[in-house]
Amino acid sequence: MSPTLSIAKKEFRAYFQSPIAYVFITLFLVLSVWIFFFLSNFFLVGQSTLRTLFDWIPITFLIFVPAVTMRTWAEEQKLGTAEILLTFPVRDWEVVLGKFLAGLAFLSVAILLTLPLTATVAWLGNPDNGAVIAGYVGSILLGAAYLSIGLWVSSMTQNQIVAFLISLVLCFILFIVGIPTTLSSLPDWLVPFVSRLSLGAHYDSIGRGVIDSRDVLYFLSIIVFFLFLNVQSIASRRWS
Amino acid sequence: MIEVQNLTKTYGPTVAVDGISFEIPRGEVVGFLGPNGAGKTTTMRILTCYLPADSGEARVAGHDTFTEPVEVRRRIGYLPESAPVYAEMGIVEYLDFVAEVRGIPSSDRKSRIGRAVERTGLGPMIQKDIGQLSKGYRQRVGLAATLIHDPEVLVLDEPTTGLDPNQIIEIRQLIREIGREKTVILSTHILPEVEATCDRVLIINYGTIVASGTTDELTRAAQGEVLTRISVRGEAVNVEPVLMSTEGIEKVSRLDPIKDGTCRYELTTKDSEIEERLFHLAVGNNWVLTELHTETLSLEQVFTQLTLGDR
């Protein structure tokens, strides 16, 4: 097994070794279910769609993902275990990628645990399967983007709380720059540029049920960009 | 095994390592000795490719630390300062992870973990999580992890800090044992540790090597003066003038008040054969010698001399 996968496996297991993971997954699910059934008046509206769930994912992830990533690097740097990890016969990027994959796996577990909701909707009515699949793909891509941002922020501090708050704010800004309210307050010439940069715009575009390669490419480049920054911030110990 | 040439590393305006060079042959246990902040940890971090040097060269088993970090790290087992651990992991789980990252095939892992656990005496604790262990056992877990891939070189940064005296003795014995087959570099600011575990000492201060050699060599080299203590039964009035007029004795100081007709003196000389001459002196003057003791400077005194001096 490659060192990247060994690290990913160890990190993934580490999530479940602390109670925090269970707390966050439970919170995420409770919140999702609450939003789905009550906030959206599911039974009143009488439409078999998962739209509300996916509409709210960017907001629930805003809390959930930074909570997952906050300790990854911050804790290692505080305790000094980063020095063990970074003196194994591996490259810095292999460690970064390992941590990212572990986070992604954990996130996927959380997302997959919402499947009973989907099953309920399918049982009650006849939802558009394409939209549901696109919704899941979009959620995973958005979650992965948040994840790469959170990991990078965590690598720059030894304080988990600081990591959590900064990642939350950063993800929030990147998500919100594309929504109409923000765009309308910007000068016209900036609008097309900013709306393309926004996580929200691309997420909505996928959520409509069309998985466009441009949107996927956008998310992948965001992920690669922040993972690259993460590698750089790990390597920055060498520059001082 | 390890060749270091003119290594320099600065942190902003602070020079942590200032052009040090040394060589360590295979199978030697070498101690880096120096006060806190002397540059020991930085040197070790360069050797383990955690930090790059600003200039100079360091090679481990023929591989350059700057251009072939992965090759170098493959051959090193490194215990960082204060032995950080993943508290939530179990001992076996952690050792298995280390073995896996280091690319040891799964068929080999069990036996290797078994051997490392046995060598470090972790057996009785094997079921526990690392977080439940005492400081001493955590240190052993760290040591076991450095041994798992059977490295040619061990780099141990202050392996005994924070341990109680019994644990210190055990860890030192372990290092001695490991040092029979492997090249070991350890750092410490505790002097007896070096005397107890190392073949050779490098005394580092302000990022430079101020002395190097075996502990014996170092103590001998620093010995400008020899202190000799003698007790003679006889009248002080008779003994003292004779001692003072003897050639080679530079200073005579009386120790305690004379009782039972015995007087004690501390003599300062530069003569290494002073004992023999004092014996003949006593025979010639018909004194009864009841004590004759030459004190050599301890490593501790050498260390203080070398590291407290002005820059």
Side-chain angles (χ1 to χ4, degrees), chain B residues 123-154:
Chain B
M125 302 289 154
I126 202 75
Q127 296 296 334
K128 296 198 176 176
D129 282 352
I130 299 174
Q132 297 173 292
L133 300 175
S134 66
K135 183 90 173 80
Y137 274 104
R138 285 182 196 198
Q139 213 102 345
R140 286 171 201 233
V141 173
L143 261 177
T146 64
L147 293 172
I148 207 95
H149 57 297
D150 200 18
E152 297 165 60
V153 179
L154 277 181

Side-chain angles (χ1 to χ4, degrees), chain B residues 95-160:
Chain B
L95 294 178
D96 191 64
F97 161 64
V98 174
E100 195 180 315
V101 174
R102 288 197 170 274
I104 294 166
S106 51
S107 51
D108 271 10
R109 270 181 234 152
K110 216 176 161 189
S111 63
R112 289 206 184 214
I113 291 169
R115 215 177 321 145
V117 163
E118 194 191 327
R119 290 192 87 172
T120 48
L122 280 168
M125 302 289 154
I126 202 75
Q127 296 296 334
K128 296 198 176 176
D129 282 352
I130 299 174
Q132 297 173 292
L133 300 175
S134 66
K135 183 90 173 80
Y137 274 104
R138 285 182 196 198
Q139 213 102 345
R140 286 171 201 233
V141 173
L143 261 177
T146 64
L147 293 172
I148 207 95
H149 57 297
D150 200 18
E152 297 165 60
V153 179
L154 277 181
V155 178
L156 312 171
D157 198 354
E158 303 200 352
T160 59

Side-chain angles (χ1 to χ4, degrees), chain A residues 2 28 58 73 96 100 191:
Chain A
S2 80
F28 168 70
W73 282 111
V96 171
F100 172 74
V191 171

